[in-house]
Amino acid sequence: MASARVTLVDYLHLEPEPHLVAQECRHCGARFFDRRNACARCGRSDFAPAGVDGAGELRAFTIVHRAAPGIPVPFVSAIVRTDDGTWVRSNVVNCDPTPEAVKLGMRVQLTTYPVGADDDGTEAVAFGFEPT
Amino acid sequence: MAVQISPDSVWVLGTHMTRFARYPDRDLIDLASEGALGALADGEVTVADIDVLACGALFQASGAVGQRLQKQIGQTGVPVYNVANACATGATAIRTVMMAIRAGEAEIGLAVGAEQMGKMGLLGGAATKKEKKVFEPSGRYGAVTGVDGYLGTETMPGVFAQAGMAYAHEHDGVGFEQFARVAYKNHLNSTLNPLAQYQKEFSLGEIMESPMMSYPNTLLMCCPTGDGAAAVVLVSGERLASMPSHVRKRAVKVSASVLTSDPFTEDCQVQPDVNTLTRNAADQAYETAGVGPEDLDLVELHDCFATAELIHYDNLSLCEPGGAGEFIDSGGPFRDGATPVNVSGGLISKGHPIGATGVANVYEITTHLRGEAGDRQVEGATVGLAHVIGLASACGVHILEKAAA
Ligand SMILES: [Zn+2]
């Protein structure tokens, strides 16, 4: 049975290559990932989709050892600034969850990974950033 | 510096707090009543003198806590404002009373902050739903399931850890040990405060080796949950001037009362920006009060996590820009340092019953400025600052000054 795929969040697009799509304010250029009512910077409400660079720098992280039930720990929570200046909240993946392996300022690249399937066999795909 | 009583000024007339602890045998109104009645007695007034009541209790924000308090301590028919503003709830209650007095609608007002949390455990982050059957996008991010743990963390120790690590990335000399030293200081300070939830000293090693919550915040670098209440009675300068001299002498001037929210910054929608609104609040408060950070004899700031306290040294201009690591390493915020910070033990050890916190900080500063802080007294204190911040965000800063002799 061929299983369908969905993305964990709607701003992750898988084709042609996995990438994030922001809502960019046409007036001031501020970028957002959520459904918008208006721009939090300038108050206008005219947006256009904008592809986000997959490469960036790790600007902050924490290694989470205690989380809500059902969330596997440890994991590396991260704030990444991509090379086009977009800020993204994500995990660092494919990297030991230790202070020795995770370094502030390190170069990272967007990647995707499966996070399980629903009862219909539809697989959800999440994104993370891995060291390069 | 002698502070005169001008008619349009506002003063702390009385204040009280319960010990922060766990009170399984008392309810929220018991705690709020103890705080309120204590503050009224301290200010030598009664509930009949109160023109306005503001009450903050975050987890019971829809429960008319102010009116329930009145039903125990006095139903006088005055306006009641029940306020909720995250961890700045208590500061918002104080500010609400300030505004009523400044607007000329009240001469004397009561602000109460209270919370009963018990053992709530880890705050922030919800359990992933187990009953999910079909992935369907929902919410503003079109998420098919909970994203906590996949797209970063939503837990409070983690969110504030990232804020500290962002600072560590931008400035030299900040790391795990500097953050741990903050917790060492606050646990040590709490041993002198009988009102603190915990009053135990821990070594730097014990702090760094305690269970890791969210690197670099270990368990002993995180505030506990707990119960408690605090209250202040505020009075207009005009009314205070007519009061007996022994009352005037204990009054403490509110030289600045500021509340801010976070302005837009490029990263503010993916990570809470606890810095900009704190800087804005502090700058406004210093300007309004006409004092600078170098004038402060003590500071109570919002150390919900050790990482948070360190970055607020910089946000409140207590250290050189970028110099928070050096500031803690050189002993600047210790009891005997340049600017003692959280001599009460701070949220980390005194405790953090959320609604009470922003009022308890003002209690602490007031008590030192009156010279009534006992073993933990900062000798000769004349000016202090109280800071709280709640995520979303809201920041309250109050600057207090000792009365004229
Ligand atoms: Zn805009």
Side-chain angles (χ1 to χ4, degrees):
Chain A
M1 184 175 93
S3 62
R5 288 196 306 173
V6 294
T7 54
L8 179 63
V9 286
D10 61 12
Y11 59 92
L12 170 61
H13 293 222
L14 298 177
E15 304 298 337
E17 292 295 323
H19 65 288
L20 304 181
V21 177
Q23 299 300 312
E24 187 174 277
C25 175
R26 286 184 194 268
H27 178 71
C28 77
R31 288 184 165 189
F32 305 91
F33 288 114
D34 60 346
R35 174 168 53 79
R36 299 303 303 177
N37 299 100
C39 176
R41 176 189 267 164
C42 73
R44 316 247 179 142
S45 44
D46 191 10
F47 294 90
V52 175
D53 206 326
E57 180 191 320
L58 181 65
R59 294 296 294 261
F61 74 90
T62 179
I63 305 166
V64 179
H65 290 259
R66 300 284 182 90
I71 296 172
V73 290
F75 68 91
V76 181
S77 169
I79 302 296
V80 171
R81 187 175 188 271
T82 62
D83 290 346
D84 57 14
T86 309
W87 292 83
V88 183
R89 197 182 112 175
S90 179
N91 285 4
V92 172
V93 296
N94 303 327
C95 178
D96 276 347
T98 63
E100 293 71 35
V102 187
K103 292 294 174 197
L104 289 167
M106 75 182 183
R107 298 286 306 166
V108 292
Q109 174 69 42
L110 186 90
T111 186
T112 58
Y113 63 101
V115 292
D118 67 11
D119 289 349
D120 299 334
T122 301
E123 184 176 75
V125 177
F127 69 91
F129 284 84
E130 61 185 357
T132 55
Chain B
M1 179 165 43
V3 177
Q4 302 306 318
I5 301 177
S6 73
D8 59 350
S9 56
V10 178
W11 297 70
V12 176
L13 185 66
T15 184
H16 188 73
M17 71 176 278
T18 69
R19 182 183 168 189
F20 287 176
R22 293 207 170 90
Y23 295 106
D25 300 328
R26 304 176 71 188
D27 68 17
L28 182 71
I29 305 303
D30 289 324
L31 299 172
S33 295
E34 182 183 329
L37 292 171
L40 292 170
D42 182 58
E44 299 188 25
V45 291
T46 73
V47 72
D49 297 307
I50 298 300
D51 301 320
V52 61
L53 169 64
C55 192
L58 188 62
F59 288 101
Q60 292 194 29
S62 61
V65 172
Q67 285 85 346
R68 285 159 57 205
L69 173 63
Q70 283 183 308
K71 286 184 169 59
Q72 295 300 322
I73 69 167
Q75 289 179 248
T76 56
V78 301
V80 173
Y81 298 90
N82 292 295
V83 303
N85 219 353
C87 295
T89 292
T92 303
I94 292 175
R95 175 131 186 79
T96 301
V97 171
M98 284 283 299
M99 290 192 294
I101 293 174
R102 286 240 186 89
E105 294 190 6
E107 288 190 327
I108 304 180
L110 174 63
V112 181
E115 206 73 60
Q116 193 160 42
M117 302 167 77
K119 294 189 172 184
M120 287 182 74
L122 189 67
L123 293 190
T128 308
K129 283 187 211 146
K130 282 264 192 319
E131 69 275 19
K132 67 173 187 279
K133 300 282 192 238
V134 179
F135 287 150
E136 280 182 354
S138 67
R140 284 187 174 255
Y141 295 95
V144 299
T145 184
V147 300
D148 185 25
Y150 295 117
L151 300 180
T153 183
E154 292 170 4
T155 63
M156 291 298 110
V159 167
F160 280 93
Q162 282 178 173
M165 293 299 275
Y167 188 84
H169 181 43
E170 288 159 16
H171 305 291
D172 292 335
V174 177
F176 187 20
E177 193 170 325
Q178 282 66 43
F179 295 126
R181 195 161 284 140
V182 168
Y184 167 75
K185 170 182 68 70
N186 292 352
H187 285 294
L188 179 64
N189 284 344
S190 74
T191 63
L192 297 175
N193 185 1
L195 300 172
Q197 185 166 346
Y198 297 103
Q199 298 164 34
K200 187 172 180 215
E201 181 182 354
F202 295 93
S203 71
L204 194 61
E206 286 174 313
I207 288 164
M208 295 176 77
E209 285 155 24
S210 71
M212 184 58 72
M213 299 294 286
S214 203
Y215 179 88
N217 284 324
T218 67
L219 185 63
L220 288 172
M221 295 160 72
C222 301
C223 66
T225 58
D227 313 330
V232 297
V233 176
L234 298 180
V235 61
S236 70
E238 186 171 7
R239 180 70 177 270
L240 178 66
S242 71
M243 291 182 164
S245 72
H246 73 276
V247 172
R248 292 200 308 270
K249 276 180 185 165
R250 289 181 73 246
V252 165
K253 187 184 179 190
V254 185
S255 297
S257 170
V258 177
L259 190 67
T260 56
S261 62
D262 41 352
F264 182 87
T265 53
E266 279 193 340
D267 59 336
C268 69
Q269 297 227 349
V270 298
Q271 63 176 344
D273 173 18
V274 300
N275 302 315
T276 312
L277 81 167
T278 296
R279 288 174 179 273
N280 289 349
D283 290 349
Q284 279 184 50
Y286 291 136
E287 187 179 342
T288 302
V291 304
E294 68 282 358
D295 298 319
L296 300 174
D297 297 308
L298 76 161
V299 171
E300 289 285 308
L301 65 75
H302 202 77
D303 60 322
C304 45
F305 301 94
T307 47
E309 173 161 327
L310 194 98
I311 61 181
H312 291 317
Y313 297 152
D314 206 327
N315 293 330
L316 298 175
S317 301
L318 306 182
C319 63
E320 296 295 315
E326 190 190 342
F327 187 60
I328 184 77
D329 282 344
S330 67
F334 281 70
R335 276 189 61 81
D336 56 355
T339 310
V341 174
N342 288 331
V343 295
S344 67
L347 281 57
I348 285 176
S349 196
K350 180 178 70 177
H352 184 26
I354 292 177
T357 294
V359 184
N361 284 354
V362 169
Y363 165 88
E364 183 70 15
I365 301 289
T366 299
T367 303
H368 284 270
L369 300 185
R370 287 167 159 183
E372 298 174 358
D375 290 344
R376 69 184 187 284
Q377 176 70 41
V378 173
E379 289 306 323
T382 58
V383 188
L385 181 149
H387 158 263
V388 286
I389 181 169
L391 286 189
S393 299
C395 177
V397 169
H398 287 91
I399 293 179
L400 305 175
E401 289 185 87
K402 186 181 171 68

